[in-house]
Amino acid sequence: MDQPSSVPRVTLLPGTFPEEAAGVIRAEKPLKPVPGGDRTEPPPEVKPGRRTTPLETSPPTPQDETPPVPGELICGRCGAGNNRERHYCRRCAASLDEAAVVPPLPWWRRLASRRPKAPLPAGTRPKRKRRHFPVRLVSFLAVLGVLGGAAYAGRGTIDTAVAQVQDRFLSSDKRATSVTASSSQPDRLPDFAIDTFSNRSWAAGVAGNTSDQFLDFVFEREFRLTQIFITGGASDDSNVFIKDRRPLKVEVTAVQAEGQPKIENFELKDVKERQPFSIVADRVAAVRVRILDSTGPEEAPVAIAEVQFSGR
């Protein structure tokens, strides 16, 4: 018979090594020696990496999706068009608080463009395509042609209207460089009619109501005459104003550089204020103002305080 051994038996459990069962501890990894010493250090710890969040992906655009039309809200996530009343996207349910609005098309593109058609429901066969007549484009071209023809037919009227606007806003004072008269009093010379003083005046050399008295104004450069301003009488003082005769009707002749002179007759009021009169003539170099009728004392001469011109 065999004698019993003095070494105790060890029952191995599943998944254990004999050394562990015998009380021997194994190192999981060999320790590396440290230079210059007998100690060994464990390897450095490896820190976990930064957690990454998956990118949000927008749902794929359906093939039958119509592009956004002007005035709709564009979803910033999936790009679908939405009505202005919606607060969330109809496709991906994203918020539309900061969604951009599709800008309107320019007028020249709206004439030739057609509105996109809504997608057909499932199971519906599309109808046969028909050629659409560009009604809006043809109508626009027709109206444009009518306006162009009317503008060409009335080009003279249009040019006149443009000239009138320019005369009104671009005209300025035009002062004569010299003035002569048919006759004058020794102390009331023709130059007093352009000195811009209302208390001095030109007076004819003869008394009474005569129609042969005039003033000739000469300008340094040619200009377009638009208005003439006449201040009748001797002065703006009422006591002096009634002592001389005042013009009631004058004939204004604008001497043009080329062509016939422009002649206009104007009736004046018996007032001491400046009175404007419209007369239009191009390339004016000189103007004659002839007195046709006057009022006042018979023994007094006719007087004019100031004559001014406007043009461009």
Side-chain angles (χ1 to χ4, degrees):
M1 295 182 62
D2 294 334
Q3 295 180 357
S5 174
S6 61
V7 179
R9 290 186 178 182
V10 178
T11 305
L12 297 179
L13 298 177
T16 59
F17 295 93
E19 294 87 352
E20 296 178 357
V24 180
I25 300 176
R26 294 191 309 168
E28 296 181 358
K29 294 183 179 180
L31 300 178
K32 61 180 180 178
V34 179
D38 297 336
R39 295 182 305 169
T40 59
E41 295 181 358
E45 298 179 356
V46 179
K47 297 181 179 181
R50 183 178 299 175
R51 177 177 295 180
T52 59
T53 57
L55 297 177
E56 296 183 359
T57 58
S58 59
T61 303
Q63 296 181 357
D64 57 351
E65 180 74 18
T66 58
V69 298
E72 289 187 342
L73 298 175
I74 304 177
C75 178
R77 182 181 179 187
C78 66
N82 297 269
N83 295 331
R84 299 289 295 272
E85 293 79 10
R86 297 187 65 91
H87 298 282
Y88 297 94
C89 179
R90 60 180 174 82
R91 186 200 300 170
C92 65
S95 177
L96 299 176
D97 293 341
E98 299 181 357
V101 181
V102 181
L105 295 175
W107 63 270
W108 52 270
R109 290 189 59 184
R110 292 197 298 268
L111 292 175
S113 62
R114 290 182 294 179
R115 297 180 180 179
K117 296 182 179 180
L120 298 176
T124 304
R125 179 177 297 180
K127 296 181 180 180
R128 185 177 180 182
K129 294 184 178 180
R130 298 179 181 179
R131 294 185 178 180
H132 295 273
F133 186 76
V135 179
R136 289 187 292 177
L137 180 60
V138 173
S139 301
F140 172 75
L141 294 178
V143 173
L144 189 63
V146 172
L147 294 178
Y152 180 78
R155 60 187 181 278
T157 305
I158 296 176
D159 294 340
T160 303
V162 172
Q164 290 177 354
V165 174
Q166 293 177 346
D167 293 342
R168 181 176 180 180
F169 294 100
L170 301 180
S171 295
S172 59
D173 294 337
K174 300 296 180 181
R175 187 175 180 182
T177 56
S178 63
V179 57
T180 57
S182 56
S183 64
S184 59
Q185 298 289 332
D187 57 344
R188 302 172 70 177
L189 302 177
D191 292 338
F192 290 172
I194 59 173
D195 62 354
T196 68
F197 292 102
S198 59
N199 57 350
R200 299 196 303 181
S201 62
W202 163 81
V206 294
N209 187 13
T210 60
S211 60
D212 57 349
Q213 299 300 310
F214 59 85
L215 290 170
D216 286 339
F217 303 88
V218 180
F219 301 89
E220 182 179 3
R221 296 180 180 178
E222 299 176 358
F223 70 101
R224 176 181 170 87
L225 178 63
T226 58
Q227 273 187 322
I228 181 172
F229 303 89
I230 301 177
T231 306
S235 174
D236 56 357
D237 188 354
S238 300
N239 297 327
V240 181
F241 177 78
I242 61 176
K243 292 182 179 180
D244 291 336
R245 297 188 66 86
R246 287 85 61 188
L248 292 180
K249 187 176 183 180
V250 297
E251 179 188 77
V252 178
T253 304
V255 181
Q256 297 173 307
E258 297 178 1
Q260 298 294 329
K262 183 68 174 293
I263 301 176
E264 294 283 352
N265 293 338
F266 302 106
E267 295 184 359
L268 288 79
K269 299 179 181 179
D270 190 16
V271 294
K272 57 185 178 180
E273 288 80 13
R274 188 179 72 163
Q275 303 179 53
F277 303 97
S278 297
I279 176 172
V280 179
D282 292 322
R283 302 189 62 184
V284 175
V287 176
R288 167 172 288 189
V289 178
R290 186 163 69 95
I291 301 174
L292 301 179
D293 190 15
S294 62
T295 184
E298 289 292 337
E299 68 278 3
V302 64
I304 293 180
E306 199 71 27
V307 179
Q308 297 171 321
F309 304 90
S310 178
R312 59 180 178 90

